Amino acid sequence: MPMYLAETGQGVRISVLIQPGSAKDEILGTVEGRLKIKLTSPPVEGRANKALVRLLAKKLKVAPSRISILKGQKGRRKELLVEGLGLEEAARILPG
C-alpha cells in the first residue's frame, strides 16, 4: 500500500505535494512519502486547490464534492479526504 494513502472511517486520506504553474496537469508518483501532482493553475485565489480537486475527482471517478482539503489550504503539502472511497480502490487507481 502506498505511504500517501490511509483509510479513515469516512473514506481515504491522501497526502499530496503539488507543483502549481506547471505545463500540464498530471499525477507523477511518490515523492517524500506523498503523491506528487503537477497543476497548470497558479496558486492564486484557490485556483490550484480547485484544479487539484477536479483532477483527483476525474481520476478516482468520484464527485468533486466528495473530496475535501483537510490541511494545507495555502501550502504545497496537503491532506485530502475522499469520502466513500475504499483503500484498495484508491491504491489500484493511483500510482504506487
Side-chain angles (χ1 to χ4, degrees):
M1 203 59 54
M3 288 177 55
Y4 61 82
L5 292 175
E7 196 160 27
T8 72
Q10 300 160 318
V12 174
R13 193 183 78 237
I14 304 173
S15 298
V16 299
L17 175 66
I18 67 162
Q19 182 178 331
S22 296
K24 66 179 187 173
D25 291 340
E26 62 183 324
I27 299 173
L28 297 176
T30 307
V31 174
E32 299 174 11
R34 295 176 177 270
L35 182 62
K36 183 165 183 183
I37 300 176
K38 287 185 172 184
L39 301 168
T40 56
S41 297
V44 178
E45 298 173 0
R47 283 193 261 171
N49 287 341
K50 289 175 187 164
L52 172 63
V53 168
R54 276 194 311 271
L55 178 65
L56 281 175
K58 184 177 178 182
K59 181 76 172 173
L60 296 169
K61 295 179 175 63
V62 300
S65 61
R66 289 177 44 195
I67 300 175
S68 53
I69 299 174
L70 302 174
K71 293 181 188 174
Q73 285 282 356
K74 296 185 184 215
R76 295 181 64 209
R77 290 177 170 78
K78 300 181 184 296
E79 298 288 327
L80 303 161
L81 174 66
V82 184
E83 294 179 42
L85 185 68
L87 187 61
E88 276 80 31
E89 186 177 2
R92 183 178 47 78
I93 296 169
L94 297 171

PDB file of all heavy atoms in Angstrom, residues 66-84:
ATOM      1  N   ARG A  66     -17.113  15.144  -3.002  1.00  0.00           N
ATOM      2  CA  ARG A  66     -16.680  14.113  -2.055  1.00  0.00           C
ATOM      3  C   ARG A  66     -15.221  14.270  -1.650  1.00  0.00           C
ATOM      4  O   ARG A  66     -14.713  13.510  -0.827  1.00  0.00           O
ATOM      5  CB  ARG A  66     -16.911  12.717  -2.652  1.00  0.00           C
ATOM      6  CG  ARG A  66     -18.397  12.392  -2.719  1.00  0.00           C
ATOM      7  CD  ARG A  66     -18.713  11.069  -3.345  1.00  0.00           C
ATOM      8  NE  ARG A  66     -17.870   9.969  -2.921  1.00  0.00           N
ATOM      9  CZ  ARG A  66     -17.808   8.811  -3.572  1.00  0.00           C
ATOM     10  NH1 ARG A  66     -18.531   8.608  -4.650  1.00  0.00           N
ATOM     11  NH2 ARG A  66     -17.026   7.851  -3.137  1.00  0.00           N
ATOM     12  N   ILE A  67     -14.530  15.255  -2.218  1.00  0.00           N
ATOM     13  CA  ILE A  67     -13.118  15.491  -1.896  1.00  0.00           C
ATOM     14  C   ILE A  67     -12.996  16.799  -1.125  1.00  0.00           C
ATOM     15  O   ILE A  67     -13.474  17.839  -1.573  1.00  0.00           O
ATOM     16  CB  ILE A  67     -12.258  15.552  -3.172  1.00  0.00           C
ATOM     17  CG1 ILE A  67     -12.359  14.231  -3.937  1.00  0.00           C
ATOM     18  CG2 ILE A  67     -10.804  15.859  -2.814  1.00  0.00           C
ATOM     19  CD1 ILE A  67     -11.634  14.232  -5.261  1.00  0.00           C
ATOM     20  N   SER A  68     -12.353  16.732   0.031  1.00  0.00           N
ATOM     21  CA  SER A  68     -12.139  17.945   0.814  1.00  0.00           C
ATOM     22  C   SER A  68     -10.672  18.043   1.220  1.00  0.00           C
ATOM     23  O   SER A  68      -9.989  17.033   1.396  1.00  0.00           O
ATOM     24  CB  SER A  68     -13.039  17.968   2.050  1.00  0.00           C
ATOM     25  OG  SER A  68     -12.905  16.794   2.797  1.00  0.00           O
ATOM     26  N   ILE A  69     -10.201  19.280   1.343  1.00  0.00           N
ATOM     27  CA  ILE A  69      -8.822  19.533   1.765  1.00  0.00           C
ATOM     28  C   ILE A  69      -8.838  19.709   3.279  1.00  0.00           C
ATOM     29  O   ILE A  69      -9.417  20.661   3.790  1.00  0.00           O
ATOM     30  CB  ILE A  69      -8.239  20.762   1.053  1.00  0.00           C
ATOM     31  CG1 ILE A  69      -8.231  20.533  -0.469  1.00  0.00           C
ATOM     32  CG2 ILE A  69      -6.826  21.056   1.560  1.00  0.00           C
ATOM     33  CD1 ILE A  69      -7.811  21.734  -1.284  1.00  0.00           C
ATOM     34  N   LEU A  70      -8.205  18.778   3.985  1.00  0.00           N
ATOM     35  CA  LEU A  70      -8.179  18.811   5.447  1.00  0.00           C
ATOM     36  C   LEU A  70      -7.102  19.736   5.983  1.00  0.00           C
ATOM     37  O   LEU A  70      -7.304  20.433   6.970  1.00  0.00           O
ATOM     38  CB  LEU A  70      -7.952  17.396   6.003  1.00  0.00           C
ATOM     39  CG  LEU A  70      -8.964  16.319   5.596  1.00  0.00           C
ATOM     40  CD1 LEU A  70      -8.514  14.964   6.111  1.00  0.00           C
ATOM     41  CD2 LEU A  70     -10.344  16.666   6.104  1.00  0.00           C
ATOM     42  N   LYS A  71      -5.924  19.701   5.356  1.00  0.00           N
ATOM     43  CA  LYS A  71      -4.780  20.514   5.791  1.00  0.00           C
ATOM     44  C   LYS A  71      -4.051  21.045   4.566  1.00  0.00           C
ATOM     45  O   LYS A  71      -4.035  20.407   3.524  1.00  0.00           O
ATOM     46  CB  LYS A  71      -3.774  19.666   6.576  1.00  0.00           C
ATOM     47  CG  LYS A  71      -4.238  19.144   7.888  1.00  0.00           C
ATOM     48  CD  LYS A  71      -3.102  18.349   8.536  1.00  0.00           C
ATOM     49  CE  LYS A  71      -3.551  17.642   9.776  1.00  0.00           C
ATOM     50  NZ  LYS A  71      -2.508  16.776  10.326  1.00  0.00           N
ATOM     51  N   GLY A  72      -3.425  22.207   4.730  1.00  0.00           N
ATOM     52  CA  GLY A  72      -2.569  22.742   3.678  1.00  0.00           C
ATOM     53  C   GLY A  72      -3.286  23.566   2.630  1.00  0.00           C
ATOM     54  O   GLY A  72      -2.844  23.610   1.488  1.00  0.00           O
ATOM     55  N   GLN A  73      -4.357  24.241   3.007  1.00  0.00           N
ATOM     56  CA  GLN A  73      -5.108  25.064   2.050  1.00  0.00           C
ATOM     57  C   GLN A  73      -4.205  26.022   1.267  1.00  0.00           C
ATOM     58  O   GLN A  73      -4.435  26.261   0.100  1.00  0.00           O
ATOM     59  CB  GLN A  73      -6.181  25.896   2.785  1.00  0.00           C
ATOM     60  CG  GLN A  73      -7.368  25.114   3.237  1.00  0.00           C
ATOM     61  CD  GLN A  73      -8.347  24.811   2.114  1.00  0.00           C
ATOM     62  OE1 GLN A  73      -8.182  25.248   0.990  1.00  0.00           O
ATOM     63  NE2 GLN A  73      -9.348  24.032   2.429  1.00  0.00           N
ATOM     64  N   LYS A  74      -3.169  26.555   1.939  1.00  0.00           N
ATOM     65  CA  LYS A  74      -2.317  27.552   1.289  1.00  0.00           C
ATOM     66  C   LYS A  74      -0.900  27.058   1.019  1.00  0.00           C
ATOM     67  O   LYS A  74      -0.062  27.822   0.567  1.00  0.00           O
ATOM     68  CB  LYS A  74      -2.269  28.824   2.135  1.00  0.00           C
ATOM     69  CG  LYS A  74      -3.627  29.459   2.237  1.00  0.00           C
ATOM     70  CD  LYS A  74      -3.586  30.780   2.954  1.00  0.00           C
ATOM     71  CE  LYS A  74      -4.999  31.280   3.080  1.00  0.00           C
ATOM     72  NZ  LYS A  74      -5.153  32.678   2.974  1.00  0.00           N
ATOM     73  N   GLY A  75      -0.645  25.781   1.271  1.00  0.00           N
ATOM     74  CA  GLY A  75       0.700  25.253   1.070  1.00  0.00           C
ATOM     75  C   GLY A  75       0.758  24.230  -0.044  1.00  0.00           C
ATOM     76  O   GLY A  75      -0.258  23.861  -0.630  1.00  0.00           O
ATOM     77  N   ARG A  76       1.955  23.769  -0.335  1.00  0.00           N
ATOM     78  CA  ARG A  76       2.148  22.749  -1.368  1.00  0.00           C
ATOM     79  C   ARG A  76       1.875  21.346  -0.838  1.00  0.00           C
ATOM     80  O   ARG A  76       1.542  20.455  -1.596  1.00  0.00           O
ATOM     81  CB  ARG A  76       3.581  22.831  -1.911  1.00  0.00           C
ATOM     82  CG  ARG A  76       3.841  24.144  -2.645  1.00  0.00           C
ATOM     83  CD  ARG A  76       5.236  24.211  -3.198  1.00  0.00           C
ATOM     84  NE  ARG A  76       5.395  23.169  -4.196  1.00  0.00           N
ATOM     85  CZ  ARG A  76       6.542  22.571  -4.485  1.00  0.00           C
ATOM     86  NH1 ARG A  76       7.642  22.907  -3.859  1.00  0.00           N
ATOM     87  NH2 ARG A  76       6.608  21.639  -5.401  1.00  0.00           N
ATOM     88  N   ARG A  77       2.049  21.161   0.468  1.00  0.00           N
ATOM     89  CA  ARG A  77       1.771  19.862   1.094  1.00  0.00           C
ATOM     90  C   ARG A  77       0.346  19.882   1.626  1.00  0.00           C
ATOM     91  O   ARG A  77       0.003  20.730   2.439  1.00  0.00           O
ATOM     92  CB  ARG A  77       2.758  19.602   2.219  1.00  0.00           C
ATOM     93  CG  ARG A  77       4.148  19.330   1.719  1.00  0.00           C
ATOM     94  CD  ARG A  77       5.124  19.154   2.883  1.00  0.00           C
ATOM     95  NE  ARG A  77       6.399  18.669   2.431  1.00  0.00           N
ATOM     96  CZ  ARG A  77       7.337  19.417   1.853  1.00  0.00           C
ATOM     97  NH1 ARG A  77       7.126  20.702   1.662  1.00  0.00           N
ATOM     98  NH2 ARG A  77       8.479  18.892   1.469  1.00  0.00           N
ATOM     99  N   LYS A  78      -0.454  18.940   1.166  1.00  0.00           N
ATOM    100  CA  LYS A  78      -1.869  18.922   1.530  1.00  0.00           C
ATOM    101  C   LYS A  78      -2.307  17.538   1.979  1.00  0.00           C
ATOM    102  O   LYS A  78      -1.717  16.533   1.587  1.00  0.00           O
ATOM    103  CB  LYS A  78      -2.725  19.331   0.328  1.00  0.00           C
ATOM    104  CG  LYS A  78      -2.402  20.724  -0.190  1.00  0.00           C
ATOM    105  CD  LYS A  78      -3.266  21.106  -1.358  1.00  0.00           C
ATOM    106  CE  LYS A  78      -2.875  22.442  -1.923  1.00  0.00           C
ATOM    107  NZ  LYS A  78      -3.035  23.573  -1.051  1.00  0.00           N
ATOM    108  N   GLU A  79      -3.337  17.513   2.802  1.00  0.00           N
ATOM    109  CA  GLU A  79      -4.002  16.276   3.213  1.00  0.00           C
ATOM    110  C   GLU A  79      -5.432  16.368   2.701  1.00  0.00           C
ATOM    111  O   GLU A  79      -6.145  17.328   3.005  1.00  0.00           O
ATOM    112  CB  GLU A  79      -4.017  16.140   4.742  1.00  0.00           C
ATOM    113  CG  GLU A  79      -2.647  16.067   5.384  1.00  0.00           C
ATOM    114  CD  GLU A  79      -1.937  14.758   5.126  1.00  0.00           C
ATOM    115  OE1 GLU A  79      -2.624  13.718   5.029  1.00  0.00           O
ATOM    116  OE2 GLU A  79      -0.707  14.772   5.022  1.00  0.00           O
ATOM    117  N   LEU A  80      -5.835  15.386   1.916  1.00  0.00           N
ATOM    118  CA  LEU A  80      -7.174  15.371   1.342  1.00  0.00           C
ATOM    119  C   LEU A  80      -7.960  14.188   1.879  1.00  0.00           C
ATOM    120  O   LEU A  80      -7.384  13.151   2.211  1.00  0.00           O
ATOM    121  CB  LEU A  80      -7.097  15.243  -0.187  1.00  0.00           C
ATOM    122  CG  LEU A  80      -6.293  16.318  -0.898  1.00  0.00           C
ATOM    123  CD1 LEU A  80      -5.901  15.851  -2.283  1.00  0.00           C
ATOM    124  CD2 LEU A  80      -7.090  17.574  -0.996  1.00  0.00           C
ATOM    125  N   LEU A  81      -9.270  14.324   1.925  1.00  0.00           N
ATOM    126  CA  LEU A  81     -10.157  13.226   2.281  1.00  0.00           C
ATOM    127  C   LEU A  81     -11.082  12.975   1.106  1.00  0.00           C
ATOM    128  O   LEU A  81     -11.723  13.906   0.609  1.00  0.00           O
ATOM    129  CB  LEU A  81     -10.986  13.563   3.527  1.00  0.00           C
ATOM    130  CG  LEU A  81     -12.045  12.522   3.902  1.00  0.00           C
ATOM    131  CD1 LEU A  81     -11.391  11.216   4.325  1.00  0.00           C
ATOM    132  CD2 LEU A  81     -12.944  13.047   5.000  1.00  0.00           C
ATOM    133  N   VAL A  82     -11.116  11.708   0.658  1.00  0.00           N
ATOM    134  CA  VAL A  82     -12.054  11.302  -0.380  1.00  0.00           C
ATOM    135  C   VAL A  82     -13.092  10.424   0.302  1.00  0.00           C
ATOM    136  O   VAL A  82     -12.812   9.290   0.683  1.00  0.00           O
ATOM    137  CB  VAL A  82     -11.357  10.535  -1.523  1.00  0.00           C
ATOM    138  CG1 VAL A  82     -12.351  10.217  -2.630  1.00  0.00           C
ATOM    139  CG2 VAL A  82     -10.183  11.337  -2.071  1.00  0.00           C
ATOM    140  N   GLU A  83     -14.272  10.976   0.483  1.00  0.00           N
ATOM    141  CA  GLU A  83     -15.333  10.274   1.204  1.00  0.00           C
ATOM    142  C   GLU A  83     -15.887   9.118   0.384  1.00  0.00           C
ATOM    143  O   GLU A  83     -16.095   9.243  -0.816  1.00  0.00           O
ATOM    144  CB  GLU A  83     -16.464  11.243   1.553  1.00  0.00           C
ATOM    145  CG  GLU A  83     -16.045  12.301   2.545  1.00  0.00           C
ATOM    146  CD  GLU A  83     -17.176  13.264   2.850  1.00  0.00           C
ATOM    147  OE1 GLU A  83     -18.324  12.811   3.004  1.00  0.00           O
ATOM    148  OE2 GLU A  83     -16.890  14.466   2.923  1.00  0.00           O
ATOM    149  N   GLY A  84     -16.103   8.003   1.075  1.00  0.00           N
ATOM    150  CA  GLY A  84     -16.743   6.852   0.461  1.00  0.00           C
ATOM    151  C   GLY A  84     -15.878   6.034  -0.476  1.00  0.00           C
ATOM    152  O   GLY A  84     -16.378   5.160  -1.171  1.00  0.00           O
TER     153      GLY A  84
END
